[in-house]
Amino acid sequence: MDKSEFYARARDDLAGPVGGIRVLDATTAWAGPMVSCVLADLGCDVIHIDRPGGLGYQLPPILPGTGRSYLEQTVNRNKRSISLDLRAPEGRDIFLQLAGTADVIVENFKPGTLDSWGVGYSHCSAVNPGIVYVSVSGWGQFGPLAHNAGYDPAALAAGGWLSLNGTPDGPPVKAPTFLSDDLAGLHGAIGALAALRHRDLTGEGQHVDVSLLDSLLFQSNGLLTMGAMGVPLKRWGGEVAGYVPCDVFACNDGYVYLAIVLDSHWARLARTMDRPELEMATGYASVDERVANRHVVNGVVAEWCSRHATEDVVTVLLVQITGPAAKFSRTPTRVRHAASDPGDDTEEILKQLGIDAERRDELRARGVI
């Protein structure tokens, strides 16, 4: 399908497929902001709460002309920003006033923190019974670890992910991205949308509990079941247990990742390597034979790759794959604006709440906003 054909009936009057949904974002770090980032990209009006005087993310590199970190521009795009001290009584009252206008609240403080400030689920549902309140934490809202701080590497370690990542003879290795944060962000967004569907049908809001550890374990690809069955779990590096060849191979100017799953693909690779005799040879022809003959098969492929440039190997073996991100033909999504500077939209948001200029000046003088 041609791209223009896919978007032929696209509307340009909507922010996205869930435009009109208001999300109140009281988050820090990455997992919580990722929930509201996904929702903002889908068209929600997301209001991000920034601490008065806060500078947001300041980790370099800073994007030219913005003064904002690449992290903030990534996860806080498409959001408005209000500066608000939730620990002050006036800040609490404004938050609850905003909660009365919102559909979703997202927070990722340690369980109990927002309750202690008077803006927890019970407080927000009292002013808005239909509110969907998404709490993201390291270990969940209840249980023996609930009140411990939880960050991405800790969840990767506790979930066993680190122990299975890396080379067979090396140490555990963390993910290069905030993997459990991102997974929790996606599950938080899915949970919010599912709870909104229930609210629209019944009028009932609810509290949604998402943890980094649960999100990581959910995406463990059946390894928990294997472990429960007593199947030894080992570290494979770049390889895959059930298929050969699947690994990183060195070319004469770099590296390629080559994966053969189907026997027909092995036959094609054998011919491409000018080794047609290996197409149906014992030890090569079937998946099971190649797994049993792992080191010899990998050696053949490694020798061939070493004689070629990366681009040549990629070109001769390339299979085009469509990008995985959801696209909407009728309500296309886009980056509507960059991340707001902290507090950029405070005036606009408070005006929408009916808070007049005199009161705003008073709140600003007291450091509430």
Side-chain angles (χ1 to χ4, degrees), residues 85-270:
D85 187 352
L86 298 183
R87 297 165 296 184
E90 299 92 338
R92 175 200 62 207
D93 293 343
I94 291 173
F95 186 91
L96 292 176
Q97 194 173 347
L98 281 169
T101 73
D103 300 283
V104 178
I105 294 173
V106 183
E107 64 91 11
N108 69 328
F109 288 83
K110 285 174 63 176
T113 300
L114 267 61
D115 280 313
S116 70
W117 295 346
V119 292
Y121 173 64
S122 62
H123 306 94
C124 294
S125 62
V127 300
N128 184 352
I131 198 71
V132 171
Y133 196 101
V134 180
S135 292
V136 181
S137 62
W139 320 107
Q141 296 299 300
F142 47 85
L145 299 178
H147 294 286
N148 291 356
Y151 290 95
D152 179 80
L156 293 176
W161 196 94
L162 260 71
S163 68
L164 294 177
N165 192 40
T167 58
D169 56 351
V173 179
K174 78 172 189 64
T177 61
F178 308 139
L179 179 61
S180 62
D181 278 347
D182 284 332
L183 290 175
L186 291 173
H187 282 285
I190 293 168
L193 295 173
L196 283 174
R197 172 62 174 164
H198 177 77
R199 184 210 63 179
D200 290 345
L201 291 174
T202 68
E204 299 172 343
Q206 60 185 300
H207 195 176
V208 180
D209 173 19
V210 177
S211 79
L212 274 62
L213 181 60
D214 287 344
S215 300
L216 188 71
L217 294 178
F218 180 83
Q219 309 291 173
S220 62
N221 302 152
L223 293 181
L224 291 179
T225 302
M226 289 179 62
M229 294 169 58
V231 177
L233 303 180
K234 52 186 293 190
R235 197 179 303 147
W236 285 97
E239 291 194 82
V240 176
Y243 299 100
V244 176
C246 288
D247 204 355
V248 176
F249 294 94
C251 298
N252 61 24
D253 64 346
Y255 294 88
V256 296
Y257 191 90
L258 194 153
I260 295 295
V261 175
L262 303 179
D263 292 339
S264 60
H265 290 173
W266 167 255
R268 185 178 304 173
L269 176 61

